[in-house]
Amino acid sequence: MRGTENAFWGGIFDALDCGLIVLDSDGCVLTWNAWMTAATDMALRDVVGMRLRQAFPSAALRRLNSAVADAIQLGASSLLTHSLHPMLLPLKTRMGRSLIHDVSVRPVGEKPYTQCLIQVFDVSIAAERDQVLRARQNARDAAVV
């Protein structure tokens, strides 16, 4: 029965349309979902036990590491947006383009927290739409002037 339950929850974990990473209190990857595998081209078996800086050596992780520490030590949740942290994680869309994303970090379970959940949300379409609308508005303003 336990294996069936794990398969059920694992299926839900992988079916979500956002990236999910679970870290332990040392900041090591316990698991991540299929979305993260697609966005990084790194299989779960290759990243389990790694710290984020090992999995993403070119990333600017200072703020993310701080949010992870706050989640585990204080129980604090954080939201890191692409507008303030554009180089957070080097992720790619299925088409191979850079993925614009927001990241949410929160503790898992009850005090004392031993794990945290990182959720990665693809906001590429919204960011591109905003950029197009801003360019149109600038063109209108220029035409008026």
Side-chain angles (χ1 to χ4, degrees):
M1 179 68 178
R2 187 76 174 148
T4 304
E5 185 177 316
N6 287 341
F8 172 76
W9 290 113
I12 290 175
F13 195 69
D14 283 337
L16 294 173
D17 194 23
C18 67
L20 298 174
I21 306 170
V22 179
L23 301 178
D24 65 13
S25 58
D26 293 326
C28 296
V29 175
L30 294 175
T31 189
W32 73 21
N33 67 350
W35 192 97
M36 284 301 299
T37 296
T40 61
D41 285 330
M42 291 187 286
L44 173 61
R45 69 180 172 277
D46 297 332
V47 296
V48 167
M50 281 187 177
R51 293 183 180 272
L52 288 178
R53 73 175 178 277
Q54 293 170 306
F56 302 103
S58 65
L61 294 174
R62 192 178 81 213
R63 179 61 186 109
L64 182 57
N65 286 335
S66 176
V68 168
D70 288 349
I72 291 174
Q73 294 169 5
L74 307 172
S77 295
S78 301
L79 177 64
L80 309 175
T81 64
H82 77 280
S83 58
L84 297 176
H85 307 281
M87 301 301 293
L88 196 56
L89 295 172
L91 303 175
K92 299 285 184 191
T93 66
R94 294 184 194 277
M95 303 298 281
R97 297 173 55 195
S98 289
L99 188 132
I100 301 169
H101 55 283
D102 291 344
V103 175
S104 171
V105 181
R106 62 190 53 168
V108 175
E110 298 178 11
K111 283 186 176 180
Y113 302 108
T114 59
Q115 300 173 348
C116 78
L117 174 68
I118 298 175
Q119 292 175 272
V120 182
F121 303 98
D122 181 356
V123 295
S124 300
I125 293 172
E128 289 169 4
R129 181 180 59 236
D130 185 51
Q131 190 176 27
V132 167
L133 292 174
R134 190 174 300 119
R136 286 181 185 168
Q137 185 63 43
N138 289 342
R140 282 189 207 121
D141 292 346
V144 169
V145 173

